[in-house]
C-alpha cells in the first residue's frame, strides 16, 4: 500500500477538467444495462467504485467495453440480465451495492452481492426493509450487513418514506419500482441528490412528482442513449480546498456538475467568504454543468446542520479540514451519517486533524474544528483508514501545515479520484516536486 508524502506550501494555479461524476456514472451504467441497445457514455468516472458497477453488470451477462473514459454498454432490456455464476462484488462502493440491490430485487433469479471489509460493515437494513416490503426475499449477515443474498421476483409497488435521507436508498426503490405492479412512490423528508430521477427520464422512464415526492411508473421500455457525464463536483471540492489553503492560488474548473441537489457546497463556501464564482452554466442530458473559478481568500468559518448535511454529505470531510484555516472554525451537527460512511468519518477526521495539532471537539452527530487561533497545523503521519475522502481532505490540510506529512494507504483515493495526487502536483507546478 502506497505512502504519500505531502510537502506543504506552493500555490495552486491552472485549469482543470475533472473525471466524470461518480454518482451520475453509476446511474448511467445501471440504466444503460437495463435499456435496449448499445449506450455510449463519455467522460465516465475513473473512480474504482464506478468500475465495480461495470464489473457487476459483466457478471450479470452484459457486454461492456471500456476504454479510458469512454464506456459502451450493450443493454438487454429490463429482463435481459442473467443469473451470475459468481458472487457480485461491489468492493468499496455503497452506491453499487444499494442501487444494484434494487435492480436484483426485480430479477427472476437469486444473486449474492458482497463488498470489501469496509462495505461489509455498513448498514444495509435501510435498503433491505423497503425491498422486502416490495416482495423480495433478502438474506443478510447478522446485523443486516452484506453479503446480501437476493431472491428476486414479482414486486409490489409501495409508498415509502425512508427514515434516513439517502439518495442510494431512494434510487434502489425507484429502480425496483421499474419491476413493480403499479406506481411506486418515495417520499423524502430532506431532498437528496436527484440524479436517478433525471437519468431515468433520459432513458425514457416515466417519473413524476416534485421535490420530495417521486413516483415511478413500472415497466417502461428504456432506450439506449449517448450521454456525457459532467465533472465531479465532490472531487473538485478537494482542489477548491487546496486553492483556499494556499495563499496566492487560483483555479479554474471546467465542465463541473452543478446539479442544484449537489452544488450547495459552493453556496456554503461563498457564505464563509471563499472567492468562488460560477462562470458559465449549461444543461446537458438533463444535468447542469459549468465552469467554476476559485481564488485563495480569507475564510470566516461557519456552521452546518439540518438539511444542509444531506446536501453536502460528501463534502463535509473537506469542509471540516478547512476549519483550522478559517477565522472562527467549522462546526457540524446532525451529521451522524458520517459515522457509517467508508470509515467513521467523524472519528477519522478528528483523529487526523488532532494529530496535525488542530483543536477538535467531537460530538455524536458532528464536530467542531477550531479556527486559526489554535495555531498553525504541523505535518503528521496520517492513517485515513482506507477512506478516500479522508485521505484527500487531510492531504489538503497538510498543504497548509508546517513540515511534511505522510498519508498511509494513500492509494485509497482511487475509490473516487485516482489522479488526485498527480493533479495536485501538476496544479502546484514545479514547486511541489
Ligand atoms: C450517493 C449518495 C450518498 C453519498 C454517496 C453517493 C449516491 O450516500 O454519500 O457518496 O450516489 O447516491 P447516501 O445515499 O448513503 O447518503
Amino acid at each position: 500500500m502506497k505512502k504519500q508524502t505531502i510537502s506543504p506550501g506552493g500555490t495552486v494555479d491552472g485549469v482543470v477538467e475533472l473525471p466524470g461524476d461518480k454518482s451520475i456514472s453509476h446511474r448511467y451504467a445501471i440504466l444503460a444495462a437495463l435499456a435496449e441497445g448499445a449506450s455510449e457514455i463519455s467522460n465516465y468516472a475513473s473512480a474504482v467504485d464506478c468500475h465495480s458497477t461495470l464489473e457487476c453488470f459483466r457478471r450479470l451477462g452484459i457486454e461492456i467495453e471500456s476504454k479510458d473514459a469512454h464506456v459502451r454498454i450493450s443493454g438487454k432490456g429490463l429482463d435481459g440480465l442473467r443469473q451470475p455464476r459468481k458472487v457480485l462484488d461491489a468492493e468499496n462502493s455503497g452506491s453499487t451495492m444499494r442501487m444494484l440491490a434494487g435492480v436484483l430485487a426485480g430479477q427472476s433469479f437469486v444473486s449474492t452481492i458482497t463488498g470489501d471489509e469496509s462495505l461489509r460493515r455498513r448498514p444495509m437494513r435501510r435498503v433491505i426493509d423497503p425491498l422486502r416490503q416490495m416482495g423480495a426475499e433478502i438474506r443478510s449477515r447478522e446485523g443486516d450487513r452484506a453479503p446480501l443474498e437476493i431472491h428476486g421476483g414479482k414486486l409490489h409497488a409501495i409508498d415509502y418514506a425512508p427514515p434516513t435521507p439517502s439518495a442510494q436508498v431512494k434510487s434502489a426503490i425507484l429502480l425496483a419500482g421499474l419491476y413493480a405492479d403499479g406506481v411506486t412512490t418515495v417520499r423524502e423528508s430532506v431532498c437528496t441528490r436527484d440524479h436517478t430521477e433525471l437519468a431515468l427520464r433520459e432513458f425514457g422512464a416515466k417519473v413524476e412528482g416534485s421535490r420530495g415526492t417521486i413516483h415511478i411508473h413500472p415497466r417502461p421500455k428504456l432506450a439506449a442513449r449517448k450521454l456525457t457525464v459532467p465533472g465531479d463536483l465532490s472531487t473538485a471540492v478537494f482542489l477548491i480546498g487546496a486553492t483556499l489553503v494556499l495563499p496566492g492560488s487560483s483555479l479554474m474548473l471546467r465542465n463541473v456538475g452543478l446539479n442544484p441537489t449537489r452544488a450547495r457546497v459552493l453556496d456554503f463556501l461563498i457564505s464563509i467568504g471563499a472567492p468562488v464564482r460560477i462562470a458559465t452554466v449549461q444543461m446537458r442530458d438533463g444535468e447542469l454543468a459549468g465552469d467554476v473559478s476559485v481564488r485563495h481568500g480569507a475564510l470566516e468559518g461557519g456552521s452546518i446542520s439540518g438539511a444542509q448535511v444531506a446536501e453536502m454529505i460528501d463534502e463535509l470531510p473537506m469542509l471540516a479540514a478547512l476549519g483550522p484555516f478559517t477565522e472562527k472554525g467549522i462546526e457540524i451537527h446532525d451529521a451522524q451519517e458520517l459515522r457509517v460512511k467508508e470509515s467513521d468519518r467523524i472519528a477519522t477526521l478528528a483523529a487526523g486533524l488532532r494529530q496535525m495539532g488542530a483543536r477538535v471537539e467531537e460530538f455524536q452527530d458532528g464536530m467542531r474544528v477550531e479556527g486559526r487561533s489554535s495555531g498553525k497545523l504541523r505535518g503528521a503521519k496520517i492513517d485515513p483508514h482506507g477512506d478516500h475522502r479522508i485521505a484527500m481532505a487531510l492531504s489538503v490540510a497538510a498543504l497548509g501545515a508546517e513540515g511534511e506529512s505522510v498519508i498511509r494507504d494513500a492509494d485509497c483515493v482511487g475509490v473516487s479520484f485516482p489522479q488526485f495526487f498527480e493533479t495536485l502536483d501538476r496544479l502546484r507546478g514545479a514547486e511541489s516536486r
Side-chain angles (χ1 to χ4, degrees):
M1 286 267 158
K2 193 180 106 186
K3 275 189 194 147
Q4 179 76 37
T5 303
I6 310 279
S7 312
T11 52
V12 165
D13 187 15
V15 179
V16 68
E17 186 148 359
L18 290 159
D21 185 89
K22 187 157 86 74
S23 292
I24 299 175
S25 296
H26 283 300
R27 279 129 173 116
Y28 285 178
I30 294 170
L31 292 172
L34 303 180
E36 280 168 33
S39 289
E40 307 268 347
I41 308 172
S42 306
N43 202 35
Y44 191 80
S46 54
V48 171
D49 270 8
C50 296
H51 287 266
S52 306
T53 293
L54 295 183
E55 210 35 56
C56 287
F57 277 107
R58 288 193 178 105
R59 290 191 181 180
L60 287 160
I62 299 296
E63 208 178 289
I64 300 175
E65 290 161 45
S66 151
K67 190 167 186 299
D68 303 323
H70 191 87
V71 176
R72 186 174 197 274
I73 301 181
S74 301
K76 291 187 174 168
L78 280 181
D79 299 309
L81 302 180
R82 65 145 205 250
Q83 181 165 27
R85 266 184 249 126
K86 289 189 193 160
V87 168
L88 302 170
D89 191 356
E91 298 178 275
N92 194 242
S93 175
S95 300
T96 305
M97 178 167 289
R98 295 194 179 121
M99 291 199 277
L100 238 63
V103 173
L104 297 172
Q107 307 305 313
S108 56
F109 53 73
V110 181
S111 51
T112 302
I113 185 159
T114 190
D116 68 7
E117 214 191 312
S118 148
L119 187 53
R120 280 186 273 118
R121 275 197 306 264
R122 295 180 64 188
M124 291 299 147
R125 174 141 188 210
R126 51 187 69 193
V127 69
I128 294 174
D129 274 352
L131 295 175
R132 275 189 187 145
Q133 280 186 31
M134 292 180 88
E137 189 190 326
I138 302 181
R139 295 188 195 141
S140 64
R141 211 160 45 83
E142 211 186 302
D144 298 307
R145 313 279 146 169
L148 306 180
E149 186 184 282
I150 303 178
H151 298 242
K154 292 209 183 319
L155 299 182
H156 316 297
I158 54 168
D159 187 327
Y160 192 78
T164 312
S166 162
Q168 294 173 355
V169 171
K170 168 178 65 176
S171 304
I173 301 167
L174 294 177
L175 290 165
L178 294 173
Y179 296 90
D181 58 2
V183 177
T184 295
T185 301
V186 181
R187 295 178 200 274
E188 293 191 287
S189 54
V190 172
C191 292
T192 61
R193 63 192 71 192
D194 65 357
H195 304 302
T196 304
E197 297 90 300
L198 297 178
L200 277 163
R201 286 198 187 104
E202 286 301 304
F203 279 87
K206 192 166 171 198
V207 184
E208 293 170 324
S210 53
R211 276 175 77 78
T213 305
I214 310 115
H215 310 286
I216 175 94
H217 289 251
R219 293 258 148 225
K221 192 163 148 58
L222 300 178
R225 289 291 322 267
K226 272 198 166 71
L227 300 159
T228 302
V229 183
D232 196 322
L233 179 60
S234 300
T235 292
V237 160
F238 296 105
L239 302 179
I240 293 175
T243 309
L244 293 170
V245 162
L246 296 170
S249 293
S250 141
L251 177 67
M252 171 64 99
L253 298 144
R254 296 252 185 245
N255 185 35
V256 63
L258 293 172
N259 178 315
T261 62
R262 292 283 296 284
R264 203 63 74 204
V265 61
L266 298 181
D267 300 336
F268 177 76
L269 285 169
I270 292 167
S271 78
I272 64 166
V276 171
R277 210 167 58 85
I278 298 175
T280 58
V281 183
Q282 74 266 346
M283 174 81 89
R284 189 172 191 173
D285 303 327
E287 289 281 356
L288 285 181
D291 297 344
V292 174
S293 69
V294 54
R295 279 180 299 107
H296 174 79
L299 300 177
E300 205 187 327
S303 55
I304 299 163
S305 62
Q308 286 175 307
V309 166
E311 292 169 336
M312 304 196 282
I313 189 75
D314 292 339
E315 291 75 60
L316 295 179
M318 184 66 261
L319 296 175
L322 283 178
F325 303 93
T326 66
E327 216 35 62
K328 296 190 201 145
I330 296 281
E331 185 156 337
I332 301 172
H333 285 285
D334 303 322
Q336 51 281 0
E337 264 302 289
L338 287 179
R339 295 209 180 266
V340 291
K341 290 291 180 189
E342 286 83 330
S343 69
D344 174 342
R345 286 184 171 160
I346 295 175
T348 48
L349 270 169
L353 288 169
R354 279 185 188 131
Q355 264 180 293
M356 296 171 114
R359 276 221 304 270
V360 183
E361 194 181 341
E362 206 182 299
F363 317 121
Q364 178 49 33
D365 69 341
M367 62 206 300
R368 165 157 185 79
V369 185
E370 294 295 334
R372 287 182 193 289
S373 59
S374 52
K376 198 167 161 116
L377 297 184
R378 50 175 190 271
K381 285 200 171 80
I382 304 284
D383 180 359
H385 291 263
D387 185 329
H388 55 131
R389 294 198 206 276
I390 300 301
M392 291 190 276
L394 294 175
S395 296
V396 170
L399 294 175
E402 226 153 64
E404 272 184 5
S405 293
V406 177
I407 312 285
R408 246 187 85 184
D409 299 346
D411 35 12
C412 66
V413 301
V415 160
S416 61
F417 190 15
Q419 309 86 337
F420 172 65
F421 292 110
E422 61 192 73
T423 306
L424 204 52
D425 271 354
R426 178 174 71 72
L427 292 171
R428 288 165 78 211
E431 287 171 80
S432 63
R433 278 175 213 153

